[in-house]
Amino acid sequence: MLAQIKTQTQTQTQFQPLGYCDGEFDAAIGLPPQTNSGDYWLGYLNYTLKTGHTPF
């Protein structure tokens, strides 16, 4: 008698909203902004205001 084994795979990647630090980091390494709203945008703009360097 053969036993059937049922396997189930689940992906554990879930979208997490971009935060303030993500915006600062993207601006610091010269990436264009991913969105223009929320904490991400505030972090992005804050970095550009502090440094005077706009990555775009």
Side-chain angles (χ1 to χ4, degrees):
M1 183 191 275
L2 296 174
Q4 289 183 329
I5 300 173
K6 183 178 180 181
T7 59
Q8 183 178 14
T9 58
Q10 294 178 339
T11 58
Q12 297 207 2
T13 55
Q14 293 179 353
F15 177 74
Q16 294 181 354
L18 298 170
Y20 185 88
C21 293
D22 295 323
E24 281 193 333
F25 180 77
D26 285 355
I29 63 172
L31 292 176
Q34 296 181 20
T35 183
N36 60 354
S37 63
D39 287 338
Y40 174 86
W41 185 242
L42 292 175
Y44 197 92
L45 289 179
N46 188 41
Y47 182 83
T48 58
L49 288 173
K50 283 194 295 190
T51 62
H53 179 269
T54 55
F56 47 86

